[in-house]
Amino acid sequence: MPASSIGGEALTFALNTATVVIGWGVVHWLSSNRDREKSRREMVAKSADALVEETNKIFVDARKYHTEQRDLALETKLKVDLQDLSNCARSLVMLSSDAALLATCRSLTRAYWKAITGGHFEDEHDGPLAQRCSQLELIAAQSLFLKQAFMNLKYQQWANA
Amino acid sequence: MQTVNVARDFTRFPSGRYKRNGATSGEAFREQFLEPPLLKGEDVTVELDGTLGYGSSFLEEAFGGAVRTTKLRPEKLLSHLRIVSSDDELVAEVKQYILEAKPSP
């Protein structure tokens, strides 16, 4: 067999091998990216669900706090839980790049905080509020807005997919 | 420029509006850390991170109350005051309390 023929076959083999390897590399990279993106979306969704649940728990505690005699332990719990909710809402930026939705989540978390602690809180608590008072209605409204914002962030993950 | 870190220099558990209800109130914080430098026209930086969490009444009395007691116009007070926090919304809320406060007559 002439040397040029052997060299040609070797070159063909090398090119075929390189093509297979590169092709495998590209497929693997694309597949990894897809899996990573899927995991990211699921993590955002899971985080949003957890934040909705936390918002609900805080709502129950807030109603109890404002409609009963002042409870110092519950007062501390509310502050800690609201701080935690705020920290978690801000941390979502590490998972999601939906800047507008994240900003809405953060500002509504703050508004929820203000609704609960902005009046009749700590040394302003002078006895139970009536069940239908405006502050309780505000807390309920802010709770709904905040939960909707978390849900919007969750659903947007699949709208972008 | 003075810097006060609320959690380190005052309390990790800020609570309440008035001193009569506790030494960790917004009024106590304002009198101890904000009024002295602001009344001298000095700048002060307040670092808010690291506490258990703030009630809105603490923040309003500490910062909105600074407008009422120093009688500085809100814009003037803000020019001497720097609020630092990893929570942008908290910083915005404090600034809002300052802007909405009215100096006492």
Side-chain angles (χ1 to χ4, degrees):
Chain A
M1 187 180 277
S4 60
S5 178
I6 293 171
E9 283 183 11
L11 182 61
T12 302
F13 176 76
L15 284 173
N16 286 342
T17 303
T19 302
V20 166
V21 169
I22 291 170
W24 176 86
V26 168
V27 166
H28 177 72
W29 180 75
L30 288 172
S31 178
S32 292
N33 276 357
R34 194 174 53 242
D35 289 345
R36 212 166 20 248
E37 178 59 16
K38 181 170 177 256
S39 295
R40 187 198 64 76
R41 283 201 303 272
E42 285 170 357
M43 203 170 292
V44 172
K46 205 170 156 186
S47 298
D49 285 339
L51 288 170
V52 164
E53 199 176 319
E54 192 57 29
T55 302
N56 282 334
K57 287 181 186 172
I58 290 173
F59 176 68
V60 169
D61 284 344
R63 276 200 66 88
K64 186 174 182 344
Y65 175 80
H66 286 294
T67 56
E68 294 181 4
Q69 292 297 332
R70 185 181 175 190
D71 181 339
L72 295 179
L74 187 54
E75 188 173 281
T76 300
K77 184 176 186 300
L78 275 168
K79 286 203 294 188
V80 170
D81 288 346
L82 285 166
Q83 180 71 61
D84 193 35
L85 186 72
S86 175
N87 291 345
C88 292
R90 283 185 287 128
S91 295
L92 287 171
V93 71
M94 290 192 255
L95 287 175
S96 171
S97 57
D98 293 296
L101 288 174
L102 290 172
T104 301
C105 289
R106 287 195 302 270
S107 69
L108 286 174
T109 300
R110 201 69 221 162
Y112 191 42
W113 189 330
K114 274 182 78 170
I116 293 171
T117 70
H120 192 254
F121 195 75
E122 292 175 322
D123 48 1
E124 293 177 335
H125 191 304
D126 54 2
L129 291 177
Q131 290 286 344
R132 295 294 302 269
C133 76
S134 58
Q135 183 169 0
L136 293 178
E137 288 172 355
L138 177 65
I139 291 170
Q142 292 299 339
S143 167
L144 287 174
F145 295 149
L146 181 56
K147 287 192 291 184
Q148 189 60 57
F150 289 140
M151 285 294 100
N152 288 346
L153 181 68
K154 173 182 173 178
Y155 298 140
Q156 188 61 29
Q157 304 313 304
W158 278 273
N160 287 341
Chain B
M1 160 85 73
Q2 292 180 42
T3 298
V4 57
N5 180 294
V6 178
R8 183 192 63 212
D9 303 327
F10 182 62
T11 179
R12 287 194 63 217
F13 309 101
S15 171
R17 185 183 282 272
Y18 300 118
K19 273 192 315 188
R20 63 174 178 260
N21 292 306
T24 56
S25 64
E27 185 181 23
F29 176 77
R30 184 190 72 235
E31 288 182 356
Q32 190 174 346
F33 292 104
L34 297 184
E35 286 175 9
L38 290 173
L39 287 170
K40 286 188 241 175
E42 294 169 359
D43 293 343
V44 61
T45 294
V46 180
E47 295 170 352
L48 296 175
D49 288 349
T51 67
L52 186 79
Y54 295 95
S56 294
S57 56
F58 175 96
L59 296 173
E60 201 290 323
E61 186 58 36
F63 296 97
V67 172
R68 292 190 285 274
T69 57
T70 63
K71 301 195 194 320
L72 291 169
R73 282 184 299 108
E75 300 76 17
K76 179 79 174 164
L77 193 143
L78 278 172
S79 72
H80 288 294
L81 187 61
R82 187 165 154 255
I83 309 295
V84 176
S85 172
S86 58
D87 186 344
D88 291 339
E89 297 291 332
L90 179 59
V91 174
E93 182 179 341
V94 168
K95 288 181 178 174
Q96 196 61 31
Y97 288 138
I98 292 171
L99 290 170
E100 289 175 353
K102 292 180 174 42
S104 299

